[in-house]
Amino acid sequence: MVSSSHESAREVEDNANNILNSFGDLNEVITSLDSQIQLISSAANQQMSVTSNISTNIEQIQGNAENVTNSLPRVTEKATEASDGSSELDRAVSGFSI
């Protein structure tokens, strides 16, 4: 009976050591997963920042395109005025004689 109790105590001790080793292994896995999660989180934050910058740049490009589009009638008007002025100058100069 005493030998059976000693045997049982050794089995309990062995099982406890096995459980302790398993917890150690589990802790290493959890630490590794935590590290990977942190890396993924950091990459996601960087990607979000880049995406935000791209979005801002696209909005600025759109604003610039609208400004150019809105200025085209004024540019056309000024080009017409310049052409008319050139024609008038040409007529005036053609009347000169040397």
Side-chain angles (χ1 to χ4, degrees):
M1 179 108 163
V2 171
S3 118
S4 175
S5 293
H6 285 306
E7 184 66 31
S8 293
R10 268 187 271 141
E11 286 178 14
V12 168
E13 184 180 356
D14 288 343
N15 288 337
N17 284 331
N18 288 338
I19 291 171
L20 185 61
N21 289 336
S22 294
F23 281 139
D25 293 342
L26 185 58
N27 187 40
E28 286 180 25
V29 169
I30 290 171
T31 300
S32 175
L33 284 174
D34 182 57
S35 176
Q36 291 174 10
I37 289 169
Q38 300 232 356
L39 287 172
I40 291 169
S41 174
S42 176
N45 283 335
Q46 289 174 355
Q47 187 175 23
M48 189 181 340
S49 176
V50 169
T51 301
S52 176
N53 288 340
I54 289 171
S55 178
T56 299
N57 290 342
I58 288 172
E59 288 173 7
Q60 290 174 348
I61 289 169
Q62 181 181 4
N64 291 340
E66 287 175 2
N67 289 339
V68 168
T69 300
N70 293 337
S71 69
L72 287 178
R74 182 78 173 141
V75 169
T76 302
E77 178 186 334
K78 290 298 179 181
T80 300
E81 288 176 11
S83 176
D84 291 346
S86 175
S87 295
E88 194 175 317
L89 181 61
D90 186 45
R91 279 191 301 275
V93 169
S94 67
F96 295 150
S97 60
I98 299 181

